[in-house]
């Protein structure tokens, strides 16, 4: 006796067409777009005005050679975090000196010497003061 194959099992075979695959991809893209548009991605937004980010931006500008903009960002950071004053005043002074404004650099170096005479940067500030006067000649 010969067994007869069950033809009903082939009826339930699932074949995915190219159109169906494309439709799924489009629906996923639309879903992701809706999530982003409704503000789900806002949780990961960067706070550009947070003091840490201001300092990172100032350091990046300094490394790139944009010294005068770096000086402005360091001054903004100093407003947020005055406890780092000696180091930030030094960065501002170096930014101005490297940016070609030695006279403004001298003002910030003097601030270090007057406001933070016991700082480890006071000796370096004295040297940079002399160097800045030399460069102004």
């Amino acid at each position: 006796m010969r067994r007869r194959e069950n033809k009903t099992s082939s009826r339930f075979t699932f074949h995915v067409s190219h159109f169906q695959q494309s439709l799924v991809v489009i629906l996923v893209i639309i879903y992701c777009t809706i999530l982003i548009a409704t503000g789900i991605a806002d949780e990961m937004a960067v706070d550009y005005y947070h003091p840490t980010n201001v300092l990172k931006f100032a350091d990046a500008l300094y490394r790139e050679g944009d010294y005068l903009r770096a000086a402005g960002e360091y001054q903004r950071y100093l407003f947020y975090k005055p406890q780092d004053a000696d180091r930030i005043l030094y960065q501002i002074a170096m930014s101005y000196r490297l940016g070609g404004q030695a006279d403004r650099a001298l003002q910030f170096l003097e601030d270090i010497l007057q406001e933070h005479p016991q700082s480890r940067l006071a000796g370096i500030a004295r040297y940079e003061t002399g160097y800045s006067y030399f460069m102004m000649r």
Side-chain angles (χ1 to χ4, degrees):
M1 179 162 174
R2 197 169 158 188
R3 287 191 148 177
R4 196 169 173 198
E5 291 184 28
N6 189 357
K7 294 185 179 184
T8 59
S9 64
S10 65
R11 223 173 28 177
F12 297 108
T13 306
F14 185 69
H15 295 286
V16 178
S17 70
H18 180 68
F19 173 76
Q20 289 171 329
Q21 289 175 345
S22 299
L23 185 61
V24 169
V25 169
I26 290 171
L27 288 175
V28 168
I29 291 172
I30 291 171
Y31 179 73
C32 291
T33 304
I34 290 171
L35 284 178
I36 292 170
T38 58
I40 299 298
D42 285 342
E43 294 175 11
M44 298 172 38
V46 176
D47 181 10
Y48 294 106
Y49 299 107
H50 189 273
T52 304
N53 293 331
V54 171
L55 182 60
K56 287 179 183 178
F57 183 55
D59 289 338
L61 289 170
Y62 187 88
R63 281 191 307 274
E64 291 176 5
D66 195 352
Y67 301 115
L68 298 179
R69 283 185 57 207
E73 292 301 319
Y74 283 126
Q75 288 175 340
R76 184 185 337 180
Y77 178 76
L78 187 61
F79 176 77
Y80 290 129
K81 294 278 190 167
Q83 63 268 24
D84 296 338
D86 60 338
R87 185 177 75 82
I88 300 304
L89 287 170
Y90 179 76
Q91 285 299 115
I92 295 169
M94 292 301 93
S95 297
Y96 280 126
R97 188 173 60 97
L98 293 171
Q101 295 185 9
D103 54 332
R104 293 195 68 189
L106 287 169
Q107 294 170 354
F108 288 96
L109 291 168
E110 285 297 320
D111 286 347
I112 295 171
L113 295 174
Q114 290 176 2
E115 297 172 15
H116 308 282
Q118 302 302 321
S119 169
R120 64 178 179 83
L121 293 172
I124 297 169
R126 283 187 198 90
Y127 169 80
E128 293 295 341
T129 299
Y131 186 77
S132 295
Y133 277 118
F134 176 75
M135 294 302 291
M136 287 175 54
R137 295 179 125 197

